[in-house]
Amino acid sequence: MILYPAIDLMDGKAVRLRQGRRDAVTVFGDPVDMAKQWRDLGAQWLHVVDLDAAFDGSTKALLLLEKMAAAFQGSVELGGGLRSVEDIRLRMEAGIRVCIIGSAACEHPSVVEEACAQWPKRIVVGIDAKNGMAAVHGWVETTEKRAVNLALEMKKLGVERIIYTDVSKDGMMQGPNLPEVSTMVRETGMQITGSGGVSCMKDILNLQEAGCEGAILGRALYEGAVDLAEALEKTGGVRK
């Protein structure tokens, strides 16, 4: 199982939001220092979300992303505000290994198709959901499309992996939505990364048992509820 420590960026700082709300933010510090910290503890992947771009549609973080990628010295995946092939190209040039397409996957699937053709196996789709329905634009709008159906549409376009986030759980440390995650794994046959609500080691193991290829760890890491080195050992992750 791959564990992805998460760093959410807002105004150049590492932050966490509760339920995706812009007015419910906790600042945790310098994102470059955080990237180094997670690498030193054994992480091989880093999950980064550009919240400014997710909310406003444009990024101010390209230079910061370059610094984070250089500091981490592993594989960095990035989501937030990726709505065109040009958006993706800019991030790839900044040292990002995998780009995560969110809202555009639902609204402009041709972007996903073109990106998969240009960067095979380097495009992931992030599906955020409320009550099993896909949510877009920084989680502030819920669509009428089932998250599972959206994933199946992305599979036809060449996407192999989905990051599934239950918005009602994100940042709340109340445990992931295991029934919905299990449904996504079972009905799509895709690689599913569980995200949102992880509060303890048991939650991670539950996601692993549900068939997830990985788990994204946010607030639980920052507040000390999960020890990354221990989690890597217990899930079969590789430590360096």
Side-chain angles (χ1 to χ4, degrees):
M1 189 182 199
I2 299 173
L3 300 182
Y4 302 81
I7 299 179
D8 290 357
L9 303 177
M10 181 179 283
D11 296 327
K13 301 179 179 66
V15 306
R16 298 300 294 170
L17 303 185
R18 291 183 183 272
Q19 295 181 303
R21 289 169 48 209
R22 202 172 191 172
D23 61 349
V25 60
T26 303
V27 177
F28 284 104
D30 181 79
V32 176
D33 291 341
M34 292 293 180
K36 292 177 182 176
Q37 175 183 334
W38 302 136
R39 181 62 175 177
D40 289 345
L41 288 173
Q44 294 189 338
W45 278 87
L46 186 66
H47 175 86
V48 180
V49 178
D50 184 345
L51 291 172
D52 294 313
F55 283 116
D56 302 328
S58 60
T59 184
K60 301 176 285 186
L62 289 177
L63 181 58
L64 177 57
L65 291 174
E66 290 181 7
K67 292 178 179 179
M68 291 174 67
F72 186 65
Q73 297 181 342
S75 297
V76 181
E77 64 178 26
L78 172 77
L82 301 179
R83 300 190 175 103
S84 70
V85 173
E86 177 64 12
D87 288 340
I88 295 168
R89 182 186 66 78
L90 289 172
R91 275 64 164 193
M92 294 291 193
E93 291 178 351
I96 299 303
R97 176 63 188 169
V98 167
C99 281
I100 305 160
I101 301 177
S103 299
C106 190
E107 299 174 334
H108 305 289
S110 61
V111 172
V112 176
E113 187 172 22
E114 186 175 348
C116 285
Q118 287 199 34
W119 298 282
K121 299 186 181 298
R122 295 180 65 185
I123 301 299
V124 168
V125 166
I127 298 181
D128 305 321
K130 294 181 180 179
N131 301 315
M133 308 302 287
V136 295
H137 298 307
W139 306 338
V140 298
E141 297 178 23
T142 303
T143 71
E144 296 182 359
K145 184 184 292 288
R146 281 189 72 216
V148 166
N149 292 343
L150 178 58
L152 290 171
E153 291 173 9
M154 295 302 103
K155 186 176 184 178
K156 293 178 181 177
L157 299 179
V159 175
E160 297 180 359
R161 178 174 151 238
I162 298 292
I163 297 174
Y164 181 77
T165 304
D166 187 297
V167 178
S168 66
K169 298 288 187 178
D170 192 72
M172 302 303 288
M173 290 185 65
Q174 296 176 350
N177 190 330
L178 292 174
E180 291 290 349
V181 171
S182 299
T183 296
M184 184 70 71
V185 171
R186 183 178 65 255
E187 294 192 20
T188 67
M190 302 172 75
Q191 298 175 32
I192 305 298
T193 304
S195 172
V198 172
S199 64
C200 60
M201 190 66 228
K202 187 175 186 299
D203 288 337
I204 299 172
L205 295 175
N206 284 341
L207 286 172
Q208 187 175 36
E209 186 176 350
C212 288
E213 65 82 42
I216 292 173
L217 309 179
R219 186 174 290 273
L221 280 183
Y222 289 92
E223 297 188 352
V226 169
D227 179 274
L228 181 59
E230 177 190 6
L232 287 166
E233 287 183 357
K234 289 189 175 181
T235 58
V238 179
R239 297 183 63 196
K240 287 191 175 182

